[in-house]
């Protein structure tokens, strides 16, 4: 097969950074001998040994806190959440320690850590394994939040996250690991704080991230067939938002839809809408619209699961209504 | 030891909720070998403990005078533990991790009293630049990993520092032998992180000492009302770890236990759980009305004041004179008064720097 699978792109990034800097290490459940549940750390245990690729007991709270202590004393740990949902158990360490400690210590310590793993709604994994924790962690000060969406940005962002001196929550999507793409040659990094202008257009801006980028791409194709030119932006950075790129696009199109997999209440779009209202109000010809998941635990049943998250046709409908009627209602 | 074991068996067969009181345990300690000290060490221990005591007394005064705010937890009565453990370790080489009751651990680690006092006054000259406060003292220079305000959250952080030490030795082949001491109380020994970290520390033979300051009370919850097995040091054996109980009011006993643990840790033999039987002479915090602890109990422990004990040990052994100790007390009082003067006159943080220190870059 031509190209690189997304999980292998992540693996390459971690491998290259571990080779480059002996202080970079990985810790988490089944990251070592097993190679990671989604094989993101495959073969690294053999290559770097048991201390640099540390298989931990099932103790999210404590091994995440251990990463904080290791980072405070000079290491650059990458913590794998086998499923990002499990990190609810480490909420205290991520919030109180990873996020706040540099500030409360008056700059005494830095916490160069990456917390990464699969999030999002998969295929019938049930409510607990289908969470979108980026929204839950959004209010925590002092952490950067990024979401990768293609093999190319997965690798470049992972390398940037590892090199960053701040704690970074790095969201992968459980359904994107098998995407394939030819990667740029050589050592490259992607900026953690820059949105990706996926496609230029003049009629309407769509802001999205992670797996929804691909739903949006399908919608963009359908809308093009109807003569509607979409400007598609992958946010990449969920905290802080790249408001420069976002504002520039809205100044051009005067219309915006945010498409997310988060639940509507307290979601990423909720915060982004507020910022757009604060910063771009005069540039808008119609109210900003958000398309979010239902405010419910993700159901197991496949049909119900599909109804829970946004589908491409809903994006098409919303865009058409905004352009033709000035709003979705 | 045998006596203790049989006691335990009686307890399970006849009366599962009867626990041995601290007082009973103190008279039946398994290993009581105290540290041997010379005159210089004796004087240093006395200085450190006196600084801890006088500093905390001054904090109470300043709190009631409205110079410091928030929750302030004083260490009076427990000084033998901070001094006994940290005094046996290497400053700026080993690592120390504390809780919300952290002033004295910071002082023992070498953070200057004026920096700690400034922090309590919320000043820019504080060891956390006035951003942390009483429960969040930090000093990278003095290897103080911090005061952690929530129960148990410091233990994994301390484990991380111990992991770094091991990592440097094993993965980087560096000449690394630093040891980390994690301090926490009896109340913390009922939370998950305690058990999770004991497991990992022993699993990977990490150079860490878990120091339990069992002062019998988690705010208003008596230890034996919260804990099924009250002898915390015994929990080490469930992990195959070395455990030791020690008279936490006797700095030489604590120092002896710490030295044994440090030696094991430096030799790569792994962690130790030390349970220090102690008592706090004040309420949980300065906001605690302290209504539940009996006068009889307080009197029992007042008689075991660790400072008085050390004073007697030092003078009875002929290592130092009363006069010398009195002079030290005077010096310490001057140091504490200087710290207050310094803190009172120190600048407030600059409002333009409100958002500084969020990110690593500024």
């Amino acid at each position: 097969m031509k190209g690189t699978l997304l999980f292998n792109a992540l693996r390459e990034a971690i491998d290259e950074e571990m080779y480059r800097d002996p202080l970079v290490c990985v810790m988490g459940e089944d990251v070592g001998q097993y190679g990671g549940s989604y094989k993101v750390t495959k073969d690294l245990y053999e290559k770097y040994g048991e201390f640099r690729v540390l298989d931990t007991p099932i103790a999210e709270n404590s091994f995440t806190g251990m990463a904080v202590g290791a980072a405070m004393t000079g290491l650059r740990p990458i913590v794998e959440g086998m499923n990002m949902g499990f990190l609810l158990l480490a909420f205290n360490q991520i919030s109180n320690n990873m996020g706040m400690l540099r500030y409360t210590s008056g700059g005494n310590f830095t916490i160069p850590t990456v917390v990464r793993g699969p999030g999002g709604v998969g295929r019938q994994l049930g409510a607990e394994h289908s969470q979108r924790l980026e929204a839950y962690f959004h209010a925590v000060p002092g952490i950067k939040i990024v979401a990768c969406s293609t093999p190319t940005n997965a690798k470049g962002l992972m390398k940037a996250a590892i090199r960053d001196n701040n704690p970074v929550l790095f969201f992968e999507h459980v359904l994107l690991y098998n995407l394939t793409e030819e990667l740029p040659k050589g050592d490259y990094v992607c900026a953690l704080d820059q949105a990706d202008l996926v496609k230029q257009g003049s009629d309407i801006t769509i802001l999205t991230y992670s797996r929804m980028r691909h739903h949006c791409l399908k919608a963009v194709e359908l809308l093009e067939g109807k003569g509607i030119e979409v400007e598609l932006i992958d946010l990449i950075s969920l905290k802080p938002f790249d408001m420069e790129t976002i504002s520039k696009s809205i100044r051009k199109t005067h219309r915006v839809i945010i498409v997310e997999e988060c639940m509507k209440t307290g979601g990423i779009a909720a915060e982004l809408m507020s910022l757009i209202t604060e910063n771009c109000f005069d540039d808008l010809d119609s109210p900003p619209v958000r398309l979010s998941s239902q405010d419910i635990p993700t159901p197991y049943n496949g049909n119900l699961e599909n109804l829970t998250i946004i589908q491409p046709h809903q994006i098409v409908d919303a865009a058409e209504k905004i352009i033709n009627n000035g709003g979705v209602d | 030891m045998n006596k203790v074991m049989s006691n335990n068996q009686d307890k399970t067969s006849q009366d599962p909720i009867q626990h041995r009181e601290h007082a009973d345990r103190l008279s039946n300690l398994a290993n009581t070998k105290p540290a041997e000290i010379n005159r210089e060490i004796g004087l240093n221990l006395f200085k450190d403990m006196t600084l801890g005591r006088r500093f905390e007394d001054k904090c109470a005064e300043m709190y009631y005078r409205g110079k410091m705010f928030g929750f302030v937890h004083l260490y009076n009565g427990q000084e033998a533990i901070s001094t006994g453990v940290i005094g046996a370790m290497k400053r700026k080489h080993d690592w120390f991790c504390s809780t919300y009751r952290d002033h004295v651990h910071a002082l023992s680690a070498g953070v200057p009293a004026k920096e700690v006092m400034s922090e309590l006054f919320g000043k820019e000259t504080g060891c956390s630049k006035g951003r942390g406060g009483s429960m969040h003292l930090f000093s990278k220079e003095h290897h103080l990993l911090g005061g952690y305000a929530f129960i148990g959250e410091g233990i994994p952080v301390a484990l991380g520092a111990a992991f770094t030490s091991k990592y440097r030795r094993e993965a980087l082949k560096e000449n690394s032998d630093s040891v980390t001491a994690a301090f926490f109380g009896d109340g913390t020994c009922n939370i998950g992180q305690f058990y999770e970290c004991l497991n990992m520390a022993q699993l990977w033979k990490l150079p860490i000492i878990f120091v339990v300051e069992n002062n019998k009370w988690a705010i208003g919850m008596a230890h034996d009302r919260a804990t099924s097995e009250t002898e915390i040091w015994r929990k080490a054996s469930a992990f195959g770890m070395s455990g030791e109980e020690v008279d936490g009011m006797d700095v030489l006993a604590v120092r002896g236990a710490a030295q044994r643990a440090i030696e094991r840790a430096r030799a790569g033999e792994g962690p130790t759980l030390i349970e220090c039987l102690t008592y706090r002479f004040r309420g949980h915090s300065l906001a605690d009305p302290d209504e539940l602890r009996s006068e009889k109990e307080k009197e029992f422990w007042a008689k075991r004041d660790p400072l008085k004990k050390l004073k007697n040990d030092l003078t009875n052994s002929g290592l130092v004179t009363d006069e010398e100790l009195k002079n030290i007390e005077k010096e310490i009082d001057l140091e504490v008064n200087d710290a207050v003067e310094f803190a009172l006159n120190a600048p407030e943080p600059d409002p333009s720097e409100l958002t500084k220190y969020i990110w690593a870059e500024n």
Side-chain angles (χ1 to χ4, degrees), chain A residues 4 19 50 60 94 97 111 131 134 179 184 208 222 276 302:
Chain A
T4 304
Y19 181 78
E50 59 178 339
E60 285 83 4
I94 291 172
N97 306 152
I111 322 288
Q131 306 203 49
E134 59 271 26
L179 283 184
T208 190
L222 293 169
I276 288 170

Side-chain angles (χ1 to χ4, degrees), chain A residues 219-229 320:
Chain A
V220 165
E221 208 181 308
L222 293 169
L223 286 163
E224 264 180 3
K226 296 167 187 267
I228 294 172
E229 290 297 322
E320 282 189 302

Side-chain angles (χ1 to χ4, degrees), chain A residues 109-110 299:
Chain A
F109 291 96
T110 51

Side-chain angles (χ1 to χ4, degrees), chain A residues 287-304:
Chain A
V289 169
R290 58 182 157 157
L291 301 176
S292 317
S293 291
Q294 300 288 318
D295 280 331
I296 57 173
T298 309
Y300 165 69
N301 174 278
N303 290 331
L304 294 181

Side-chain angles (χ1 to χ4, degrees), chain A residues 159-213:
Chain A
K159 287 171 76 93
I162 294 168
R163 291 182 196 181
D164 200 277
N165 285 326
N166 297 287
V168 180
L169 294 189
F170 193 100
F171 284 89
E172 299 151 17
H173 196 289
V174 68
L175 293 180
L176 297 185
Y177 280 126
N178 289 328
L179 283 184
T180 308
E181 197 175 42
E182 196 136 9
L183 298 182
K185 294 268 176 286
D187 180 31
Y188 72 96
V189 295
C190 300
L192 289 179
D193 57 356
Q194 268 174 34
D196 179 12
L197 181 54
V198 181
K199 188 197 158 292
Q200 297 201 31
S202 54
D203 294 329
I204 189 164
T205 299
I206 296 181
L207 306 173
T208 190
Y209 67 93
S210 191
R211 183 183 175 224
M212 283 294 141
R213 169 181 176 142

Side-chain angles (χ1 to χ4, degrees), chain B residues 93-114:
Chain B
H93 174 81
D94 294 320
W95 293 88
F96 314 104
C97 191
S98 185
T99 63
Y100 47 82
R101 200 180 303 284
D102 56 353
H103 307 172
V104 177
H105 295 135
L107 295 171
S108 293
V111 184
K114 60 183 185 180

Side-chain angles (χ1 to χ4, degrees), chain A residues 22-25 27 51-52 54-57 59 61-63 65-66 68-70 72-75 92-93 96-97 101-110 141-144 164-166, chain B residues 95 127-129 131-132 136 138-141 144-145 148 150 153 156-157 159-161 163-164 166-168 170-172 193 196-197 199-200 203-204 354-362:
Chain A
L23 297 172
V24 175
C25 55
M27 49 185 72
F51 282 95
R52 294 195 66 195
L54 185 74
D55 278 320
T56 67
N61 190 344
S62 291
F63 69 68
M66 188 175 96
V68 173
M72 289 168 76
T73 49
L75 302 187
N92 180 68
Q93 302 286 357
N96 286 1
N97 306 152
L101 196 147
R102 178 170 166 75
Y103 190 86
T104 48
S105 77
N108 263 287
F109 291 96
T110 51
I143 53 172
K144 296 183 177 180
D164 200 277
N165 285 326
N166 297 287
Chain B
W95 293 88
C127 56
S128 306
K129 299 276 197 287
R131 271 71 164 181
H136 301 294
F138 290 87
S139 173
K140 191 173 187 182
E141 181 191 351
L144 177 66
L145 292 164
Y148 292 83
F150 285 7
E153 63 172 344
V157 173
L159 194 78
F163 177 74
T164 298
K166 182 90 175 180
Y167 184 97
R168 288 190 180 282
E170 301 290 336
L172 306 182
Q193 286 121 303
E196 293 177 358
C197 290
N199 177 48
M200 287 191 270
L203 185 66
W204 300 318
L354 175 65
T355 59
K356 196 177 171 182
Y357 305 125
I358 288 283
W359 303 112
E361 291 72 25
N362 64 359

Side-chain angles (χ1 to χ4, degrees), chain A residues 210-281:
Chain A
S210 191
R211 183 183 175 224
M212 283 294 141
R213 169 181 176 142
H214 302 281
H215 274 25
C216 288
L217 279 168
K218 282 181 197 150
V220 165
E221 208 181 308
L222 293 169
L223 286 163
E224 264 180 3
K226 296 167 187 267
I228 294 172
E229 290 297 322
V230 176
E231 179 138 305
L232 179 62
I233 293 174
D234 184 336
L235 296 166
I236 301 289
S237 176
L238 305 184
K239 188 175 186 179
F241 292 119
D242 177 4
M243 286 310 292
E244 200 183 314
T245 302
I246 293 165
S247 304
K248 197 174 153 197
S249 178
I250 293 172
R251 273 199 299 278
K252 182 164 108 184
T253 64
H254 310 293
R255 301 178 181 102
V256 64
I257 302 177
I258 307 166
V259 182
E260 66 176 351
E261 204 177 276
C262 278
M263 289 183 279
K264 193 166 207 165
T265 304
I268 294 296
E271 181 60 26
L272 189 51
M273 283 239 307
S274 304
L275 285 172
I276 288 170
T277 308
E278 282 172 7
N279 294 292
C280 312
F281 191 80

